Amino acid sequence: MLAKNKSLGSTIGKGLAYLQDTVDVGINWCFRSLKNAQVKEEDPEPWKRNSKKALNVVTRFLGDVGESFYEEYEVMKAKRQKKA
Protein backbone atom coordinates (compact mmCIF):
# COMPACT_ATOMS: atom_id res chain seq x y z
CA MET A 1 0.00 0.00 0.00
CA LEU A 2 1.18 3.54 -0.72
CA ALA A 3 2.18 5.86 2.11
CA LYS A 4 -0.42 8.48 3.01
CA ASN A 5 1.56 11.39 1.57
CA LYS A 6 2.53 9.75 -1.72
CA SER A 7 0.23 9.64 -4.69
CA LEU A 8 0.22 6.93 -7.33
CA GLY A 9 1.38 9.49 -9.89
CA SER A 10 4.35 10.45 -7.75
CA THR A 11 5.35 6.83 -7.27
CA ILE A 12 5.10 6.09 -11.00
CA GLY A 13 7.05 9.26 -11.82
CA LYS A 14 9.88 8.26 -9.51
CA GLY A 15 9.93 4.77 -11.00
CA LEU A 16 10.21 6.25 -14.49
CA ALA A 17 13.07 8.47 -13.32
CA TYR A 18 14.97 5.41 -12.07
CA LEU A 19 14.29 3.65 -15.38
CA GLN A 20 15.58 6.67 -17.34
CA ASP A 21 18.68 6.86 -15.16
CA THR A 22 19.38 3.14 -15.70
CA VAL A 23 19.04 3.54 -19.47
CA ASP A 24 21.37 6.58 -19.40
CA VAL A 25 23.98 4.69 -17.39
CA GLY A 26 23.80 1.73 -19.78
CA ILE A 27 24.10 3.85 -22.90
CA ASN A 28 26.95 5.87 -21.39
CA TRP A 29 28.74 2.62 -20.58
CA CYS A 30 28.30 1.50 -24.21
CA PHE A 31 29.80 4.75 -25.51
CA ARG A 32 32.78 4.46 -23.16
CA SER A 33 33.27 0.87 -24.29
CA LEU A 34 33.19 1.93 -27.92
CA LYS A 35 35.73 4.65 -27.27
CA ASN A 36 38.10 2.17 -25.64
CA ALA A 37 37.47 -0.71 -28.04
CA GLN A 38 40.47 -1.80 -30.02
CA VAL A 39 40.45 -4.42 -32.76
CA LYS A 40 43.88 -5.90 -33.46
CA GLU A 41 44.89 -4.54 -36.84
CA GLU A 42 47.61 -7.08 -37.66
CA ASP A 43 46.53 -9.08 -40.68
CA PRO A 44 48.45 -10.31 -43.72
CA GLU A 45 45.67 -9.25 -46.06
CA PRO A 46 45.69 -5.48 -46.69
CA TRP A 47 41.92 -5.16 -47.09
CA LYS A 48 41.29 -6.82 -43.74
CA ARG A 49 43.95 -4.69 -42.03
CA ASN A 50 42.45 -1.51 -43.53
CA SER A 51 38.94 -2.59 -42.54
CA LYS A 52 40.07 -3.14 -38.95
CA LYS A 53 41.77 0.28 -38.89
CA ALA A 54 38.58 1.89 -40.18
CA LEU A 55 36.53 0.03 -37.57
CA ASN A 56 38.80 1.35 -34.81
CA VAL A 57 38.45 4.92 -36.11
CA VAL A 58 34.65 4.66 -36.32
CA THR A 59 34.22 3.11 -32.87
CA ARG A 60 36.48 5.73 -31.25
CA PHE A 61 34.54 8.48 -33.04
CA LEU A 62 31.18 7.13 -31.86
CA GLY A 63 32.55 6.74 -28.35
CA ASP A 64 33.78 10.35 -28.37
CA VAL A 65 30.41 11.59 -29.61
CA GLY A 66 28.50 9.72 -26.93
CA GLU A 67 30.86 10.57 -24.13
CA SER A 68 30.88 14.28 -24.97
CA PHE A 69 27.07 14.19 -25.26
CA TYR A 70 26.67 12.81 -21.75
CA GLU A 71 29.29 15.16 -20.29
CA GLU A 72 27.53 18.19 -21.77
CA TYR A 73 24.12 16.83 -20.81
CA GLU A 74 25.22 16.56 -17.17
CA VAL A 75 26.47 20.17 -17.23
CA MET A 76 23.14 21.33 -18.67
CA LYS A 77 21.18 19.40 -16.03
CA ALA A 78 23.31 20.90 -13.26
CA LYS A 79 22.68 24.42 -14.58
CA ARG A 80 18.96 23.75 -14.78
CA GLN A 81 18.98 22.46 -11.19
CA LYS A 82 20.69 25.65 -9.99
CA LYS A 83 17.95 27.79 -11.56
CA ALA A 84 15.17 25.80 -9.93
Side-chain angles (χ1 to χ4, degrees):
M1 200 72 186
L2 293 176
K4 289 181 183 179
N5 60 352
K6 291 191 178 185
S7 69
L8 178 61
S10 175
T11 302
I12 291 172
K14 287 181 181 185
L16 290 173
Y18 279 103
L19 178 63
Q20 179 66 48
D21 182 61
T22 302
V23 170
D24 285 347
V25 168
I27 291 173
N28 195 12
W29 176 83
C30 290
F31 281 130
R32 277 186 277 124
S33 296
L34 279 174
K35 185 176 180 180
N36 298 323
Q38 186 70 28
V39 176
K40 292 184 180 180
E41 297 174 0
E42 301 92 24
D43 203 298
E45 296 183 47
W47 72 271
K48 285 184 179 180
R49 186 172 50 249
N50 291 338
S51 296
K52 290 177 180 181
K53 284 181 183 180
L55 179 63
N56 284 332
V57 168
V58 169
T59 57
R60 273 188 301 246
F61 172 76
L62 291 175
D64 281 340
V65 168
E67 195 171 64
S68 65
F69 167 81
Y70 274 102
E71 286 173 2
E72 188 63 25
Y73 181 64
E74 291 299 321
V75 169
M76 292 169 64
K77 281 187 354 184
K79 286 180 183 176
R80 190 170 43 246
Q81 289 293 328
K82 279 185 171 180
K83 289 181 182 178

